[in-house]
Amino acid sequence: MSKIIVLGAGMVGSAMAIDMAKNHDVTLMDINADVLKKVQQKAETLSVQVLDVTNKSALQNSIKPFDLVICAVPGFLGFKTMEYILEAKKNVVDISFFPENSLLLDKLAKENDVTAIVDCGVAPGMGNILLGYHNERMKVTGFECLVGGLPKVKKWPFNYKAPFSPVDVIEEYIRPARYVENGQMVVREVLTDCELVEFEKVGTLEAFNSDGLRTLIDTMPHIPDMKEKTLRYPGHVEYIRALKDSGFFNDDPVEVGGTKVSPLEFTSKILFDEWKLGETEEEITVMRITIKGEQQEIVYTLYDEFCTRTQTSSMARTTGYTATATANMFLEGLFPEKGVFPPELVGRHEACFNYILNYLKDRNVVYNMETRPIKKA
Amino acid sequence: MSKIIVLGAGMVGSAMAIDMAKNHDVTLMDINADVLKKVQQKAETLSVQVLDVTNKSALQNSIKPFDLVICAVPGFLGFKTMEYILEAKKNVVDISFFPENSLLLDKLAKENDVTAIVDCGVAPGMGNILLGYHNERMKVTGFECLVGGLPKVKKWPFNYKAPFSPVDVIEEYIRPARYVENGQMVVREVLTDCELVEFEKVGTLEAFNSDGLRTLIDTMPHIPDMKEKTLRYPGHVEYIRALKDSGFFNDDPVEVGGTKVSPLEFTSKILFDEWKLGETEEEITVMRITIKGEQQEIVYTLYDEFCTRTQTSSMARTTGYTATATANMFLEGLFPEKGVFPPELVGRHEACFNYILNYLKDRNVVYNMETRPIKKA
């Protein structure tokens, strides 16, 4: 039993704290006392503590007694928070998905003799782990990740509820997508190249360009083709693009009734309300990872649902349990390297890979693998 | 030659002033001096004067020397402005399309021995005139008006430019539609009952419920079926409904960056920019009026384009020239009645009807009439 601190009591942070508390002494921290109180009602063995992670000394003092930090703060706070954690010489598993390059902190982590595993969710996260594993065992020529979190009940027009911060969803609809094609990094407009894709138990979904490759662009320079696309119910992208093309996502403030308002900020606000996922609203996670080799392609498919028994969202399950799997794997000493590591550098080790997949399987997050021979023209 | 004053130097007001100036001594008034200056460059014989129509005494003093007022102020100012004009004992032709019931001013007009002809545009306006005419000459059993002002160049997603105040366009997308069905007034949700309709020179357009019958509901109580629908390029309504259904047209303010903002006000602002019709941007007006009798139906079709020679928009031509036709008809003594009159009460007189249609034809605004026998089941 180790002493674990989880930073951030959002939907995923709470689920991780509850999961870790099964085998460890866990403290959950958040800036919001009400949120903490609510989580504690679900898991009595959990300790909670109010903390503002932007207060450097408070943060560094709070994490002192712990063996491992699991960080699930909002993305815009992620990089700075990780820097403070590494300065304090603490090991960390991170799913804040911050926009900055995590490898900039690699030197600090090595100097302080600690380990940071970043981007440890479902996507990014499991896609990287799967690719990391197979990349060591075959010549990979292509990688594709299709992924989406979707509500079970579809409300027109967007047919969408945000299983994580809507501000991050909208950010994903703005940032251009970085792909690798024929060995070159290319930038594609986000929300483009829509294609219809069939998924068992779900039906037809729409996949479009989004910027999800992240560290893979740097860590897998030998793979000539890599892309990530986001999945939504058909129609969603069309309405998002209608908003975007007519100025609703613009950043330049416009004057409304005497005050300056940012269209993007305003639109986000409206969509937050429209996309608010009810606490017990059922949602699913759908993912298909294709790893292409010279003779065969390996396809992993995930279909995961809201857990009615534990009232845990599928996004919390698939994202959070990947991070708790990684945390437990780390605590068991399976990954002794020091520095900052994206998940592909963890998944390449057979023991790590198996540990994580089995941990997830125990929680009924199941990746079905299929192998198909490549047809030569 | 009469002395005419035109209130409002918007797109339509200016076109009317220029048209009236061919045969009369015309003064154009507006609150905006720059706008007036620009119009005067196009028509040197025009006098201009800055005036705030909400300043009652200034308005009543200004209009004193004139034989007739043509009123083209924004809708929300229309009713009050007309009241001031009638109080000042002046005749008026109005195209401000104010939301209030114009007949409330009938008593005032009669007491002051003056004439007000209201809603004198293309729709409302010409539809009323045509129905007023035929209603005196056959038993009318049904009336339908399909009408739209559209840009020639279509920009996704809305494929629309507003040929009149966008705030009035959006107001039309909110106000429920009042129809007459089987002799009963019914209220229908606006933007519903979309149907595809074919138009020569344009192709397929989409017609949807809108609230355009206005005075006809009261003045034609014996006609069992009457409806008005707005025409747009296909797709427009779907995107408008997507906005509306997801809260962008709500009136209740939401908090954005510390200030309260009305979604409707904000959305209007964004759409104003998106729908801004360039001064020389070509647009068209499309209308189909169907007047059903027992043996036959009479169909009038209008297709009108931006006039490149005079740089006059089609909306200004079709709306403004109906009003200037009516003004000239009035000045020639063809309509001597006192009180407030919607156009259907003018159109019923053969001489008035012919005068207006010929006046429009001279300006190449042509209503093609077709008569079709009714097929009995």
Side-chain angles (χ1 to χ4, degrees):
Chain A
M1 185 184 264
S2 303
K3 283 179 69 67
I4 309 293
I5 181 160
V6 177
L7 302 179
M11 194 174 77
V12 182
S14 307
M16 291 194 298
I18 292 168
D19 188 43
M20 290 304 286
K22 289 176 193 158
N23 302 306
H24 301 285
D25 178 4
V26 178
T27 300
L28 177 62
M29 292 197 180
D30 197 279
I31 199 168
N32 186 330
D34 293 341
V35 168
L36 290 171
K37 214 173 284 171
K38 244 171 127 177
V39 182
Q40 213 176 18
Q41 285 165 1
K42 282 195 190 178
E44 287 170 10
T45 63
L46 213 59
S47 303
V48 299
Q49 195 182 311
V50 173
L51 174 74
D52 176 0
V53 295
T54 64
N55 182 334
K56 182 176 171 174
S57 61
L59 170 66
Q60 292 185 334
N61 272 326
S62 291
I63 65 180
K64 228 175 237 167
F66 295 92
D67 303 313
L68 175 70
V69 183
I70 298 179
C71 184
V73 300
F76 71 96
L77 297 176
F79 187 83
K80 210 72 199 153
T81 305
M82 190 152 112
E83 192 175 11
Y84 296 161
I85 296 167
L86 297 177
E87 270 182 19
K89 304 187 185 193
K90 290 293 166 186
N91 299 302
V92 56
V93 168
D94 185 84
I95 57 153
S96 67
F97 308 119
F98 49 78
E100 296 88 346
N101 180 2
S102 55
L103 297 175
L104 296 175
L105 297 172
D106 185 55
K107 193 166 161 268
L108 175 63
K110 284 192 166 76
E111 278 167 7
N112 286 353
D113 200 36
V114 290
T115 305
I117 305 175
V118 299
D119 283 358
C120 230
V122 60
M126 271 310 292
N128 307 51
I129 290 169
L130 298 170
L131 177 57
Y133 178 77
H134 291 287
N135 180 59
E136 295 287 321
R137 286 151 188 89
M138 68 194 236
K139 186 176 173 194
V140 177
T141 59
F143 171 78
E144 185 193 65
C145 173
L146 307 179
V147 62
L150 299 165
K152 274 205 170 173
V153 173
K154 289 162 267 182
K155 177 179 176 286
W156 191 85
F158 294 105
N159 297 331
Y160 185 66
K161 292 295 172 86
F164 54 99
S165 169
V167 76
D168 290 336
V169 177
I170 291 170
E171 161 64 19
E172 274 185 17
Y173 292 167
I174 292 171
R175 202 173 57 228
R178 288 162 302 166
Y179 285 171
V180 177
E181 282 179 1
N182 299 314
Q184 300 288 316
M185 195 185 90
V186 295
V187 176
R188 288 204 181 280
E189 205 186 325
V190 66
L191 303 170
T192 52
D193 296 338
C194 281
E195 55 182 317
L196 298 174
V197 193
E198 301 302 318
F199 282 88
E200 228 179 284
K201 299 191 200 171
V202 187
T204 307
L205 295 176
E206 207 163 33
F208 58 87
N209 293 335
S210 53
D211 188 48
L213 288 181
R214 293 173 63 99
T215 53
L216 293 177
I217 292 172
D218 298 319
T219 59
M220 301 283 166
H222 55 285
I223 303 179
D225 289 293
M226 293 197 287
K227 66 177 160 184
E228 194 260 8
K229 288 178 125 176
T230 296
L231 297 168
R232 295 286 183 261
Y233 290 118
H236 179 85
V237 178
E238 186 184 347
Y239 296 121
I240 292 293
R241 290 187 58 181
L243 285 177
K244 202 176 174 187
D245 276 36
S246 49
F248 283 91
F249 283 15
N250 287 354
D251 230 355
D252 281 347
V254 296
E255 205 182 295
V256 181
T259 47
K260 293 267 181 186
V261 181
S262 148
L264 178 60
E265 236 181 280
F266 170 84
T267 301
S268 303
K269 182 78 192 193
I270 296 282
L271 294 180
F272 288 7
D273 292 346
E274 182 70 9
W275 294 351
K276 198 177 161 53
L277 182 71
E279 237 173 279
T280 58
E281 196 172 344
E282 299 199 16
E283 35 72 77
I284 59 174
T285 309
V286 179
M287 182 156 77
R288 182 176 297 155
I289 301 285
T290 306
I291 300 165
K292 227 175 182 155
E294 285 175 314
Q295 263 83 47
Q296 57 175 11
E297 61 182 16
I298 300 166
V299 181
Y300 285 91
T301 309
L302 169 72
Y303 170 87
D304 186 70
E305 290 190 1
F306 176 85
C307 175
T308 45
R309 190 178 57 78
T310 60
Q311 298 280 300
T312 309
S313 75
S314 172
M315 187 51 68
R317 289 165 46 75
T318 56
T319 301
Y321 297 165
T322 306
T324 55
T326 306
N328 278 298
M329 173 215 79
F330 174 79
L331 292 167
E332 298 203 6
L334 295 182
F335 189 80
E337 300 175 42
K338 308 297 177 188
V340 173
F341 302 92
E344 58 272 28
L345 301 185
V346 175
R348 62 181 168 178
H349 303 292
E350 181 111 32
C352 298
F353 178 77
N354 287 333
Y355 187 97
I356 294 169
L357 277 183
N358 286 331
Y359 187 97
L360 287 166
K361 207 173 181 182
D362 283 348
R363 280 148 187 80
N364 203 27
V365 177
V366 181
Y367 289 83
N368 282 311
M369 188 183 91
E370 260 184 290
T371 305
R372 300 181 201 144
I374 301 257
K375 286 173 206 145
K376 301 269 175 182
Chain B
M1 185 185 265
S2 303
K3 281 176 72 64
I4 309 294
I5 179 159
V6 178
L7 303 179
M11 193 175 75
V12 182
S14 306
M16 292 195 297
I18 293 169
D19 188 42
M20 290 304 285
K22 288 175 193 159
N23 302 304
H24 301 286
D25 179 3
V26 178
T27 301
L28 176 63
M29 291 195 182
D30 197 280
I31 199 168
N32 186 331
D34 293 340
V35 168
L36 289 171
K37 214 174 283 170
K38 243 171 128 180
V39 182
Q40 212 175 18
Q41 285 164 0
K42 282 195 189 177
E44 287 169 8
T45 64
L46 214 59
S47 304
V48 298
Q49 196 181 311
V50 173
L51 174 75
D52 175 1
V53 295
T54 65
N55 181 336
K56 181 175 171 174
S57 61
L59 170 66
Q60 292 185 332
N61 272 327
S62 290
I63 65 179
K64 226 174 237 168
F66 294 93
D67 303 314
L68 175 70
V69 183
I70 298 179
C71 184
V73 299
F76 71 97
L77 296 176
F79 187 84
K80 210 74 200 154
T81 304
M82 190 151 111
E83 193 176 11
Y84 295 161
I85 296 167
L86 296 177
E87 268 183 19
K89 305 189 182 192
K90 290 292 165 185
N91 299 302
V92 57
V93 168
D94 185 83
I95 56 154
S96 67
F97 307 119
F98 49 79
E100 296 90 344
N101 180 0
S102 57
L103 296 175
L104 296 174
L105 297 172
D106 185 55
K107 192 164 161 271
L108 175 64
K110 283 191 166 77
E111 278 168 8
N112 285 352
D113 200 36
V114 288
T115 305
I117 305 175
V118 298
D119 282 357
C120 231
V122 60
M126 271 310 292
N128 308 51
I129 290 168
L130 298 170
L131 177 57
Y133 178 77
H134 291 287
N135 180 58
E136 295 287 321
R137 286 153 189 87
M138 69 193 236
K139 188 178 171 193
V140 177
T141 61
F143 171 77
E144 184 192 66
C145 172
L146 307 179
V147 62
L150 299 165
K152 274 205 170 173
V153 174
K154 289 164 267 182
K155 177 181 174 286
W156 191 86
F158 294 106
N159 295 332
Y160 185 66
K161 292 294 172 89
F164 54 100
S165 170
V167 75
D168 291 336
V169 177
I170 291 170
E171 159 65 21
E172 273 185 16
Y173 291 168
I174 292 170
R175 203 172 57 227
R178 289 163 302 167
Y179 285 172
V180 177
E181 281 179 2
N182 298 314
Q184 301 287 317
M185 195 184 89
V186 295
V187 176
R188 287 202 183 282
E189 204 186 326
V190 67
L191 302 171
T192 53
D193 296 338
C194 281
E195 55 183 316
L196 298 174
V197 194
E198 301 300 317
F199 282 87
E200 228 177 286
K201 298 190 200 172
V202 187
T204 306
L205 296 176
E206 205 163 33
F208 58 87
N209 292 334
S210 54
D211 189 48
L213 287 181
R214 293 172 65 96
T215 53
L216 293 177
I217 293 172
D218 298 319
T219 58
M220 301 282 167
H222 56 284
I223 303 179
D225 289 294
M226 294 197 287
K227 67 176 160 185
E228 194 259 10
K229 288 180 125 176
T230 297
L231 297 169
R232 294 285 183 265
Y233 289 117
H236 179 84
V237 177
E238 186 186 347
Y239 296 121
I240 291 293
R241 291 185 59 181
L243 285 177
K244 204 178 173 186
D245 276 34
S246 49
F248 284 91
F249 282 16
N250 287 354
D251 230 355
D252 281 347
V254 296
E255 206 182 294
V256 181
T259 47
K260 294 266 181 188
V261 181
S262 148
L264 178 60
E265 235 181 281
F266 170 83
T267 302
S268 302
K269 182 78 192 197
I270 297 283
L271 295 180
F272 287 8
D273 292 346
E274 183 69 10
W275 294 353
K276 198 176 163 52
L277 183 70
E279 237 174 280
T280 57
E281 196 172 342
E282 298 200 17
E283 35 73 77
I284 59 174
T285 308
V286 179
M287 183 156 79
R288 181 177 298 156
I289 301 285
T290 306
I291 300 165
K292 225 175 183 155
E294 286 176 311
Q295 262 83 49
Q296 59 175 11
E297 61 181 17
I298 300 165
V299 181
Y300 285 91
T301 308
L302 169 72
Y303 171 87
D304 187 70
E305 290 189 2
F306 176 86
C307 176
T308 44
R309 191 178 54 79
T310 61
Q311 298 281 298
T312 309
S313 75
S314 172
M315 187 51 69
R317 288 165 47 75
T318 56
T319 300
Y321 297 165
T322 306
T324 54
T326 306
N328 278 299
M329 173 216 78
F330 174 80
L331 292 167
E332 296 203 6
L334 294 182
F335 189 79
E337 299 175 44
K338 307 297 176 186
V340 173
F341 301 91
E344 57 271 28
L345 301 184
V346 174
R348 63 181 167 177
H349 303 292
E350 180 110 34
C352 297
F353 177 78
N354 287 333
Y355 187 96
I356 293 169
L357 277 184
N358 287 329
Y359 187 98
L360 287 167
K361 206 173 182 181
D362 283 350
R363 279 148 188 80
N364 204 27
V365 177
V366 182
Y367 289 84
N368 281 311
M369 189 183 92
E370 259 185 291
T371 304
R372 301 182 200 142
I374 300 260
K375 285 172 206 146
K376 301 271 176 185

